[in-house]
């Protein structure tokens, strides 16, 4: 899978409310992550549905899974997140580098 395909897969995985909520919860949890059951409870999503959503996030490389005893622990892959953000902003402001003073304000378009 080339870089563009990886980016499209990651953005597609995040383009669904339950997956976005799960990803944000995992980012908030930090490197320790969360057990799948805890995440399902926190989000109010049935475990079977959450399993499907976590699988898509995992295939997109945004999250990683590890086993701890009988539990599956999911955590955000912060390197993948950084790479995604870097790809989206690598040519920001014509390569001049954005600062809060030069970046367009939210909701407004640059002239």
């Amino acid at each position: 899978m080339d870089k563009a395909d990886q980016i499209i897969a990651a953005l597609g995985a995040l383009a669904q409310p339950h997956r976005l909520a799960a990803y944000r919860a995992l980012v908030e949890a930090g490197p320790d992550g969360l057990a799948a059951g805890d995440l399902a409870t926190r989000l109010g999503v049935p475990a079977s549905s959450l399993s499907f959503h976590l699988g898509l996030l995992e295939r997109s490389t945004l999250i990683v899974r590890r086993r701890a005893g009988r539990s599956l622990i999911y955590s955000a892959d912060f390197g993948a997140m950084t790479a995604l953000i870097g790809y989206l902003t690598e040519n920001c402001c014509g390569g001049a580098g954005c600062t809060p003073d030069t970046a367009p304000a939210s909701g407004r378009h640059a002239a």
Side-chain angles (χ1 to χ4, degrees), residues 81-104:
M81 178 180 67
T82 300
L84 174 62
I85 293 167
Y87 180 85
L88 293 173
T89 60
E90 70 185 351
N91 294 316
C92 182
C93 300
C98 285
T99 65
D101 295 336
T102 61

Side-chain angles (χ1 to χ4, degrees), residues 13-76:
L14 293 172
Q16 197 281 342
H18 293 309
R19 290 192 293 272
L20 182 59
Y23 185 72
R24 288 177 52 105
L26 292 174
V27 168
E28 185 179 315
D32 292 338
L34 294 169
D38 293 340
L39 189 55
T41 300
R42 184 181 288 201
L43 299 176
V45 176
S48 59
S49 294
L50 184 63
S51 178
F52 168 78
H53 292 305
L54 291 173
L56 283 172
L57 287 167
E58 188 177 12
R59 284 190 296 283
S60 76
T61 71
L62 288 171
I63 67 171
V64 293
R65 174 185 62 178
R66 71 181 185 282
R67 185 169 287 283
R70 293 178 52 193
S71 296
L72 292 176
I73 308 296
Y74 291 88
S75 56

